[in-house]
Amino acid sequence: MVDHELLDHRLADVGIQGTVLQWLRSFLSDRGQRVALGGELSSRHSLVCGVPQGAILSPMLFNIFMRPLAQLVRSFGLGCHQYADDTQLYLLMDGHPNSAPDTLTRCLEAVAGWLRGSRLKLNPSKTEVLWLGRDDMGSRGQLPSLAGVQLVPAPSVKSLGVIFDTSLSMEAQITAITKAAFFHLRQAKQLAPYLSRPDLATVIHATVTSRLDYCNSLYVGLPLRLTQKLQRVQNAAARLLTGSSLRDHIHPVLYQLHWLPVEYRIRFKVLVLTFKALYGLGPSYLRDRLSWYAPQRNLRSTNNNTLKVPGLREVRLASTRARAFSAAAPTWWNALPQETRALRDLTSFLFQQCCHNHCRAFISNFSMM
């Protein structure tokens, strides 16, 4: 759907000119496709739009083509995140509104017009709305329409593989993860007699551990009953890999595998994101939520590389304060040893933090045995 003529203009708008622009024009031009079926080959059909699937340049070209859309959305005062062909609009409504403001209606009209002008087809039925707020908010008729289709808030939406509900409880997400993980563990158990331990570990990490770790920084501060669901998945994976029985205590098994428990894997991820945000390796919207601690008087703690923990008035919702990155990240960062906080190299920080979390996790677990 990427129009080559429009893409040519947008490449020039971002400063790509001269020989480089000629290279990209050559990359896109004179391409065609055929259909092969049962030994028969259709005639060649010239392609006048689209970027080649699988080419390393194609994602960059598509992002450049879609770049003006984010600029248009932000001009209305809305936030915008884009990932591949997924565009998300964010609108913060202060106070207690009963319906979406006119700004959102005008923005959606402008978005629909931009898509038509860019020769892209809009599918309103695939547009989802998540309204975070009171239960009586976001009912039918309070949201504008998009291309003639009335938008209705959904009870949950999926964003980049993560399920969000209106209360951000993450319960649906964790239920989906545990269901998929246990399915793959049952499949791995059938393969276990035919695989060596390293190969079985590879299968478990690819199908189970990857699910536990994906976006697990969103699980900060969740109720124990939810994190225990994830821990049961990890325990089952560890028992399968080591051949231990249900009667064996799980903490020595995890220690033998050098696996951090789920709670500490979440902490590890948040601290890595904090380090990257502080030193320009992460997104700016996370860095904007962190600030170095600066006491009013000259104290010994001035140069300890600690972060400011926001007060009660600085976090909007008291019910989710403990889960906010702006509150959890500084608290956990300040709990690190001073020599770890002083590091500037990511690899060294990962090693030191892993050792610190490993010791804390298993010292606390063994003390409870």
Side-chain angles (χ1 to χ4, degrees):
M1 299 297 290
V2 175
D3 185 273
H4 291 173
E5 183 179 352
L6 290 175
L7 177 59
D8 190 81
H9 290 296
R10 290 173 187 175
L11 288 170
D13 289 341
V14 297
I16 299 177
Q17 300 176 353
T19 304
V20 176
L21 184 57
Q22 294 295 329
W23 283 345
L24 293 175
R25 287 172 179 168
S26 175
F27 172 72
L28 294 171
S29 62
D30 297 327
R31 289 187 175 272
Q33 66 180 15
R34 293 180 177 182
V35 177
L37 179 63
E40 298 294 329
L41 191 65
S42 71
S43 58
R44 184 179 184 273
H45 179 75
S46 298
L47 296 177
V48 295
C49 62
V51 290
Q53 186 175 5
I56 195 170
L57 284 175
S58 297
M60 180 196 70
L61 294 174
F62 181 79
N63 288 338
I64 292 174
F65 186 80
M66 297 296 294
R67 182 172 178 264
L69 178 58
Q71 297 172 334
L72 174 66
V73 171
R74 295 188 180 106
S75 69
F76 286 89
L78 276 72
C80 182
H81 283 174
Q82 290 179 299
Y83 183 84
D85 61 344
D86 183 21
T87 300
Q88 299 177 353
L89 279 60
Y90 299 87
L91 177 61
L92 175 63
M93 294 180 288
D94 292 320
H96 302 283
N98 293 320
S99 62
D102 294 337
T103 304
L104 179 59
T105 302
R106 296 196 303 271
C107 179
L108 292 178
E109 292 174 350
V111 167
W114 183 89
L115 291 171
R116 286 193 300 269
S118 299
R119 301 170 190 173
L120 297 174
K121 181 175 176 58
L122 175 64
N123 189 348
S125 63
K126 290 187 176 181
T127 300
E128 296 179 307
V129 179
L130 183 67
W131 191 307
L132 304 174
R134 302 192 312 267
D135 294 338
D136 59 336
M137 298 172 65
S139 60
R140 180 182 292 273
Q142 294 180 329
L143 291 177
S145 60
L146 178 62
V149 177
Q150 177 67 46
L151 297 178
V152 179
S156 64
V157 300
K158 180 176 286 190
S159 175
L160 301 180
V162 179
I163 302 174
F164 294 97
D165 55 67
T166 55
S167 61
L168 297 181
S169 69
M170 305 306 295
E171 188 163 357
Q173 166 69 6
I174 290 179
T175 299
I177 287 177
T178 53
K179 181 179 179 180
F182 277 123
F183 168 80
H184 287 288
L185 279 176
R186 289 192 295 270
Q187 302 300 310
K189 187 175 183 179
Q190 296 180 8
L191 293 174
Y194 310 101
L195 297 176
S196 64
R197 178 165 170 172
D199 291 338
L200 180 59
T202 300
V203 171
I204 290 175
H205 288 316
T207 60
V208 177
T209 308
S210 60
R211 284 179 164 81
L212 295 179
D213 288 343
Y214 180 67
C215 290
N216 62 346
S217 57
L218 298 173
Y219 306 152
V220 172
L222 289 182
L224 184 61
R225 64 180 179 83
L226 293 181
T227 54
Q228 281 181 337
K229 287 185 176 181
L230 301 177
Q231 189 60 56
R232 283 194 288 269
V233 171
Q234 188 189 47
N235 293 350
R239 295 186 194 281
L240 174 60
L241 183 56
T242 59
S244 57
S245 68
L246 291 174
R247 293 188 298 271
D248 296 329
H249 202 287
I250 192 59
H251 294 139
V253 177
L254 296 177
Y255 185 82
Q256 172 191 344
L257 294 172
H258 298 283
W259 287 6
L260 285 174
V262 168
E263 176 188 354
Y264 288 89
R265 297 175 88 90
I266 296 171
R267 183 185 293 241
F268 181 89
K269 178 69 71 65
V270 171
L271 287 171
V272 171
L273 290 174
T274 304
F275 181 93
K276 290 182 176 181
L278 288 173
Y279 299 111
L281 303 175
S284 59
Y285 59 82
L286 290 183
R287 180 63 182 89
D288 294 340
R289 285 160 175 77
L290 301 173
S291 58
W292 294 108
Y293 172 66
Q296 296 180 351
R297 294 180 299 163
N298 189 16
L299 304 174
R300 285 184 297 178
S301 59
T302 302
N303 299 320
N304 281 352
N305 297 304
T306 55
L307 294 173
K308 177 186 176 183
V309 179
L312 294 176
R313 296 182 179 180
E314 298 178 69
V315 180
R316 290 181 176 271
L317 298 177
S319 59
T320 58
R321 169 183 166 78
R323 297 176 55 190
F325 178 82
S326 57
T331 301
W332 287 347
W333 175 271
N334 296 344
L336 290 173
Q338 183 176 350
E339 57 271 19
T340 303
R341 298 196 305 268
L343 294 172
R344 295 294 183 272
D345 177 67
L346 178 59
T347 303
S348 301
F349 178 80
L350 291 174
F351 177 77
Q352 291 290 339
Q353 198 221 135
C354 187
C355 293
H356 176 71
N357 274 313
H358 194 269
C359 291
R360 286 194 56 177
F362 291 104
I363 288 176
S364 62
N365 284 331
F366 282 127
S367 66
M368 294 185 294
M369 290 176 59

